[in-house]
Amino acid sequence: MKTMPGWIYCGLLVVGVSGCSLAPKYNVPPAAESPAFKETLSPAEAGTWQTAVPAEDAARGEWWKVFKDSQLDDLENQALAANQNLAAAAARVQEARAIEGVTGAARFPNLSAGFGPSRQQNSPDSLGVPAGGPRPEAQTVWRAQANISYEVDLFGRVASSVHAAHADTQQSEALFRSVQLALQADVAQNYFNLRELDAELAVYHRAVELRTEALTFVQHRADAGEVSDLELAQAKAELASATSDAMTVERQRAASEHALAVLLGKAPSEFSVAPRPLDPVVIHIPPGMPSSLLERRPDIAAAERAMAAENARIGIARAAYFPSIVLTGTGGYESSAFSDLFKWSSRSFLLGPLVGTAATLPIFDGGVRKGNLANAKARYEENVAKYRQQVLVAFQEVEDNLANLRILENQTRVQGDEVAASSRAAELSKVQYEDGSVAYLNVIDTERVVLQARLTAVRLRGIQATSTVNLIRALGGGWGEDPANASPATD
């Protein structure tokens, strides 16, 4: 049995000890802890809440179906299929994966092959010919060779680079999910805003109808000489005011419809939504909803992956202080005549590590390595701060929307009482005016109160709908659902 050459043993030994990373051991740094949300329904539920930690792989599902609106379902699907911001985010994921592939290629040998002639002239001194001796003739050398090179990752530069690139890819994927969630929420909010404007238009159209009837009544009385021209002018002014306000809402609705079209990846001229007033959206928060749903937030996952990438880059900066070794080898055929090139006697090789090895040890660089290491550590600390801030913002957004929904539930009920009372007052005022008991100014004032009360009630419905969407978005795209039992999400 033939024995293995000693240089191969050396190479295997060097490769065997390679890959020791100099990056600090990575652990997710502690962030703000919250054993319970402030806006929980009762103190007894506080123990059912959990602290939030990143979990970017949690399934989210089609959360908008909780609203049970088939048109909204269709719009969400259209947006996911055609939105250009989402397409750009998907392309960024592909870019990150490609870069990770390029970085990972450094873990393997680099192979290449070449073929062709070269013309060379050696100097007499390089061949040991004494001065005045015959000058060697120029010669043509044909070569057909394969080349191999491999960087021995003794101090983990390549491994740290691969870890950083992989974390960058995961960050890009989390950011894609963040764009996706933002798109889904924006579509739902724009849709509910459109429906709210439809409801406002319905209120204004009803006001226009009532004021048209009032103007007709006042006109008859004016023709009969029972009222002054002042009351007639006031009735006309109220009708014109309501009509103008309705036109303002129509402008807002057109702009909202155009914005929704862009979210769907369509030109505004190709998209329209039939008017339909907003129905009340009342989705109660399930008792004991755990704050572990914050794990669904892709922006927290992205911030955590950014920390991991910067931690790996500290290892790259540290590895620059140590030698780098690149093993090279060349083998093939070499001949002065093309006809003899592929003869067995024309074979040649050049192997490392004793020959063809480049081992470099940095000695002095004016502080470049020191600066790069300090920069890597500072970037890591920056991303730690960003991660902790993102967790704080997540808790704030959940608290805000929990408070909004809790207060809105009572406020809409109170506002409903105001609408009922003001409507009754307007009816009484109208009857008294027709009987001649009060001036027309009283009718105008009560009708204005009714109009404002109804508009406020409609707008509260819109705020309630958008706050519900905001809460779901703050929880990372789902709630009232066990992540462990959810179906896998697909990007």
Side-chain angles (χ1 to χ4, degrees):
M1 180 183 294
K2 293 184 179 179
T3 59
M4 187 178 294
W7 67 270
I8 296 182
Y9 281 119
C10 286
L12 292 176
L13 178 62
V14 171
V15 172
V17 300
S18 66
C20 301
S21 176
L22 296 177
K25 183 179 179 181
Y26 178 70
N27 293 303
V28 180
E33 296 184 359
S34 178
F37 284 125
K38 180 180 179 181
E39 295 295 334
T40 49
L41 299 182
S42 67
E45 294 171 0
T48 65
W49 300 77
Q50 302 174 5
T51 304
V53 294
E56 61 268 29
D57 294 330
R60 290 162 182 83
E62 298 175 323
W63 55 264
W64 56 87
K65 290 190 174 181
V66 71
F67 297 106
K68 302 185 185 305
D69 189 319
S70 59
Q71 187 167 18
L72 175 60
D73 296 344
D74 181 58
L75 295 176
E76 291 284 0
N77 292 330
Q78 290 183 47
L80 292 175
N83 181 266
Q84 297 307 302
N85 286 334
L86 188 62
R92 288 192 291 271
V93 172
Q94 297 303 319
E95 292 171 14
R97 289 174 179 170
I99 293 173
E100 181 183 358
V102 172
T103 305
R107 295 176 296 179
F108 305 98
N110 184 13
L111 300 174
S112 62
F115 171 80
S118 62
R119 183 73 173 171
Q120 62 187 46
Q121 169 74 64
N122 296 322
S123 68
D125 290 342
S126 67
L127 299 177
V129 178
R135 183 177 181 81
E137 296 182 358
Q139 60 179 342
T140 299
V141 178
W142 289 84
R143 292 185 178 87
Q145 296 175 329
N147 306 305
I148 182 172
S149 65
Y150 177 73
E151 179 179 353
V152 181
D153 195 24
L154 281 175
F155 302 102
R157 187 196 70 81
V158 174
S160 295
S161 298
V162 171
H163 293 158
H166 183 60
D168 286 338
T169 298
Q170 292 176 317
Q171 180 191 10
S172 181
E173 291 168 349
L175 289 174
F176 169 82
R177 286 189 287 272
S178 184
V179 172
Q180 186 180 57
L181 176 59
L183 170 63
Q184 294 166 347
D186 286 345
V187 169
Q189 288 176 335
N190 274 267
Y191 175 75
F192 287 131
N193 180 64
L194 197 65
R195 294 309 183 198
E196 177 195 332
L197 293 172
D198 287 338
E200 288 189 28
L201 274 175
V203 171
Y204 277 119
H205 290 162
R206 180 56 180 162
V208 169
E209 290 176 3
L210 293 175
R211 291 179 181 179
T212 300
E213 293 174 1
L215 176 59
T216 302
F217 177 76
V218 173
Q219 183 69 58
H220 289 324
R221 295 191 67 181
D223 293 341
E226 297 177 0
V227 298
S228 66
D229 291 341
L230 174 60
E231 293 184 1
L232 181 60
Q234 289 173 332
K236 291 180 178 179
E238 289 301 307
L239 175 59
S241 176
T243 305
S244 177
D245 289 341
M247 292 177 178
T248 299
V249 176
E250 288 175 354
R251 288 191 292 106
Q252 294 172 348
R253 188 191 188 282
S256 180
E257 190 177 67
H258 300 163
L260 185 56
V262 173
L263 289 174
L264 304 183
K266 298 181 178 181
S269 60
E270 301 173 356
F271 178 77
S272 63
V273 178
R276 192 185 77 197
L278 175 67
D279 295 324
V281 174
V282 182
I283 300 176
H284 294 284
I285 305 301
M289 182 177 59
S291 66
S292 62
L293 289 178
L294 282 177
E295 299 171 9
R296 300 169 179 265
R297 285 185 64 119
D299 54 347
I300 293 179
E304 186 274 329
R305 289 291 83 197
M307 282 192 304
E310 295 305 330
N311 184 78
R313 291 189 174 98
I314 294 177
I316 299 174
R318 286 178 174 175
Y321 281 89
F322 298 92
S324 61
I325 299 176
V326 179
L327 302 178
T328 61
T330 299
Y333 297 91
E334 184 177 274
S335 174
S336 59
F338 178 74
S339 58
D340 298 330
L341 178 60
F342 293 103
K343 289 183 178 179
W344 183 246
S345 59
S346 299
R347 67 188 185 280
S348 65
F349 67 88
L350 180 66
L351 298 172
L354 298 179
V355 180
T357 297
T360 59
L361 174 64
I363 298 175
F364 177 76
D365 60 7
V368 172
R369 289 167 296 160
K370 181 179 179 181
N372 287 337
L373 180 57
N375 177 63
K377 291 180 177 179
R379 288 176 63 87
Y380 172 75
E381 293 299 329
E382 176 189 359
N383 281 275
V384 169
K386 288 181 177 179
Y387 167 74
R388 288 171 172 164
Q389 179 67 18
Q390 198 63 47
V391 172
L392 288 172
V393 169
F395 278 106
Q396 177 194 349
E397 290 176 351
V398 174
E399 296 280 14
D400 288 347
N401 289 287
L402 283 172
N404 284 345
L405 290 174
R406 176 178 59 81
I407 297 170
L408 281 167
E409 186 174 0
N410 295 325
Q411 188 176 2
T412 52
R413 183 169 56 253
V414 172
Q415 188 62 33
D417 295 339
E418 180 187 353
V419 171
S422 60
S423 298
R424 177 58 178 164
E427 291 174 2
L428 294 175
S429 177
K430 185 177 179 181
V431 170
Q432 291 175 354
Y433 171 72
E434 292 175 352
D435 293 340
S437 303
V438 298
Y440 187 65
L441 186 59
N442 294 69
V443 177
I444 292 175
D445 289 339
T446 54
E447 287 182 348
R448 286 177 179 173
V449 171
V450 172
L451 177 60
Q452 190 58 47
R454 288 176 176 169
L455 289 175
T456 301
V458 166
R459 289 164 184 165
L460 286 175
R461 288 183 190 176
I463 295 172
Q464 197 168 31
T466 55
S467 293
T468 303
V469 173
N470 282 333
L471 176 59
I472 298 175
R473 179 177 180 175
L475 293 170
W479 51 274
E481 170 186 285
D482 183 2
N485 298 327
S487 59
T490 56
D491 293 342

